[in-house]
Amino acid sequence: MSATPVTHLWLREETKPMEHRAALSPDVCKKLLEHGGFEITVEKSEARIFADSEYEAAGCRLVPGDSWRTAPQDAIITGLKELPENDTSALPHTHIMFAHCYKQQGGWKDVLSRFVEGQGLLYDLEFLQDDSGRRVAAFGFYAGFTGSAVGIDAWCHQQLNSGEKYPVIKPYPNEDVLIAETKEKLARIGKMPRIMVMGALGRCGSGAVSYARKAGIPEENIVQWDMAETAKGGPFKEIMEADIFVNCIYLSSKIPPFVTQEQIDGERQLSVIVDVSCDTTNPFNPIPIYNVNTTFDNALLDIQSSNAKPLQLCSIDHLPTMLPRESSNQFAIDLTPTLLQLPTRSSAPVWTRAEKLFHDKVASMATSD
């Protein structure tokens, strides 16, 4: 009788600046190895929130960073964020990651072409879905949670440090430290902002609402909108009446814009937008007043307006790395049942759907404009 093939997961070092999260936590690696049928290689990383020694203690093999390119052909290269944009080499491996190329984002064909050229395969984490179409694992809650935190903090900065550049955002050891810092700033200001959360019933939106509550913002100052409220179609004047607007929707098709340049040029209370959804280069972006992602060291974009009141926008696309340990642990735990199905991925519905979607997207390159 032949031995059951071992599934080899290769956790690569993240290369996106200020990214401290991991797709696999040491605890989850230990669980997979104890389950049997898995081999796990982990690239060393000084940026990752988990120490290399934690993975080693879990039973993983450590290798130098960025060595996945020469990994064995059967290794499944596992990461979170997309590969560096300046890398155009062919991809012969199977990859698990958020590739951001299935909604015709900027450069999407370039990304998929690398897999075609190398005869590799992409399992996009955003599209690992259960039978009901719900994502099996997502950073949504902590994306909204930290997005709300940045929005409130940016508003506080406008009140306390008018005209000064917003400081570099650094990761926090835990959410209690972050919440305490927000509360202290709000106490110094002596008033509470009005925050509007779009997509409030989803994972992301519920995270945004949760942070606002934990920061002490009264319930009447937290405006929660979801599909029922947006059914009439934008743009929405109600957004202009809030101090902070946090967009947490999942964009799946073209919709009318939520915000227009004409609106922000007019009378408004609004001074901070946090676009947690970050459909920045999506042709259907419902916040079409910007087209670049911001970063942790330059978190806020000054939006041009004929209204003298400042308007700043945050479009960081990996906000949960502000709380890297909590967000990574939760994501990895949620992903574990699906990872345990990898040895039978040729018949496991989550994986077969993801593989079919990859091939469908590759085929669509020939017919898209």
Side-chain angles (χ1 to χ4, degrees), residues 10-15 43-44 63-70 83-84 87:
W10 187 291
L11 182 64
R12 62 174 167 82
E13 175 189 34
E14 298 292 334
T15 55
E43 293 186 357
K44 297 176 182 178
V63 295
D66 201 37
S67 57
W68 59 268
R69 302 166 197 279
T70 56
L83 300 172
D87 188 343

Side-chain angles (χ1 to χ4, degrees), residues 14 25 33 84 103 119 154 183 191 235 268 273 279 324 336 355:
E14 298 292 334
S25 67
L33 292 170
K103 301 182 197 172
Q119 297 185 319
K183 284 185 170 182
K191 63 177 181 179
R268 58 177 164 79
I273 296 174
D279 289 297
T336 299
E355 183 169 348

Side-chain angles (χ1 to χ4, degrees), residues 151-161 182 185-186 189 193 244 272:
I152 298 168
D153 193 66
W155 180 83
C156 289
H157 187 81
Q158 290 174 347
Q159 315 305 309
L160 297 169
N161 309 95
T182 301
K185 290 179 181 178
L186 287 170
I189 294 168
I244 304 161
V272 177

Side-chain angles (χ1 to χ4, degrees), residues 302-335:
D302 291 315
I303 302 297
Q304 297 303 309
S305 169
S306 57
N307 185 329
K309 186 183 181 73
L311 178 61
Q312 295 178 300
L313 183 143
C314 173
S315 56
I316 297 172
D317 65 0
H318 56 138
L319 279 165
T321 199
M322 280 178 66
L323 293 171
R325 187 170 287 271
E326 287 114 324
S327 60
S328 295
N329 275 327
Q330 187 59 61
F331 182 84
I333 289 169
D334 291 346
L335 189 60

